[in-house]
Amino acid sequence: MAMPSPAPTPFRPYTDETLSISGAPSDRDMKRLVNQTRSSNIGPTALYYAGVTAPVISAGMGFVTRQALVGTGLTDYWILLTSSLLAAMAGVSWYLIFMRWSYRHHHGRASELDSETSIDLTPEGLHIRRGDVETRIAWRALRSVRESRRDTLITFRGADPLLVPDKWFGRDRQAAKAFRARLRQGLQDGEKKETTGRRRQ
């Protein structure tokens, strides 16, 4: 028996106090989100494996070089120096190549690039819907609202950050202004009162 598709259920009956916006983030939007919320585009797992494998590659190259130079007539000093230099070069080269392969080119998480995101600012908090998934975040979990010339970044305690591009509002500047003002007002109940960035009027 097929399960019925879940229908969005709001916090409470919507009133004039609820502000809503919806839109689909682009890959460029997700890239800005990643750049603003992470210090690196390379995950910690990639850093761990790069650090583990580089010494192994270096040691292997040093051993192979030493065995290849034995019997060539070189002194032990030159054999040690040459094998050490090649081992170091191999380790550094492998580390750089591994890090490049591990660079994250796709910034979308789950279905963020495939589904439209709807955001409602209600008296209780934020109601976020993406496809069949709903997230409810109380105002007290709001940490910061960072405004730039192209978007607004919202961070929470216990939830993923949210980016609201200005293009979602179209040419309705009043709606965008009211939306951001409501977010700043919600910071009064948040864990950390932080509003960064200045927007040109």
Side-chain angles (χ1 to χ4, degrees):
M1 179 178 179
M3 296 293 293
S5 177
T9 54
F11 283 126
R12 54 177 288 179
Y14 288 169
T15 66
D16 293 337
E17 297 178 345
T18 298
L19 300 178
S20 302
I21 186 62
S22 62
S26 64
D27 185 67
R28 183 174 298 179
D29 295 331
M30 298 308 303
K31 182 177 181 180
R32 290 203 302 270
L33 174 61
V34 170
N35 291 337
Q36 293 184 52
T37 56
R38 296 176 181 169
S39 59
S40 174
N41 287 326
I42 300 176
T45 304
L47 291 173
Y48 171 77
Y49 282 112
V52 170
T53 56
V56 175
I57 296 295
S58 180
M61 177 59 71
F63 177 77
V64 171
T65 303
R66 180 180 180 280
Q67 292 300 111
L69 293 178
V70 171
T72 59
L74 294 176
T75 62
D76 292 340
Y77 170 80
W78 287 109
I79 292 177
L80 178 62
L81 179 62
T82 302
S83 59
S84 298
L85 289 175
L86 290 179
M89 292 176 60
V92 172
S93 299
W94 170 252
Y95 182 84
L96 295 176
I97 293 173
F98 193 97
M99 297 295 281
R100 182 60 182 173
W101 283 345
S102 302
Y103 187 86
R104 293 176 177 173
H105 296 281
H106 300 286
H107 304 281
R109 298 169 301 186
S111 60
E112 289 185 0
L113 297 178
D114 301 327
S115 303
E116 184 178 77
T117 300
S118 299
I119 305 171
D120 298 321
L121 304 185
T122 71
E124 291 81 7
L126 287 83
H127 184 196
I128 305 169
R129 300 187 305 277
R130 185 178 295 113
D132 293 332
V133 178
E134 298 185 15
T135 303
R136 301 179 181 183
I137 305 175
W139 286 117
R140 62 178 176 274
L142 188 61
R143 276 188 171 175
S144 66
V145 177
R146 304 175 187 175
E147 299 180 13
S148 68
R149 298 174 59 183
R150 293 180 295 183
D151 51 51
T152 301
L153 176 66
I154 314 168
T155 62
F156 309 95
R157 174 174 51 85
D160 291 332
L162 181 65
L163 188 74
V164 182
D166 286 356
K167 61 185 177 183
W168 288 8
F169 297 95
R171 297 184 179 181
D172 193 345
R173 294 184 177 180
Q174 293 300 323
K177 184 177 180 180
F179 191 88
R180 292 190 295 268
R182 184 66 186 91
L183 286 173
R184 290 193 296 269
Q185 182 182 356
L187 282 173
Q188 301 302 319
D189 298 326
E191 178 188 71
K192 181 179 180 181
K193 300 176 182 179
E194 177 185 347
T195 303
T196 59
R198 300 185 64 182
R199 185 180 300 273
R200 293 182 179 179
Q201 300 297 329

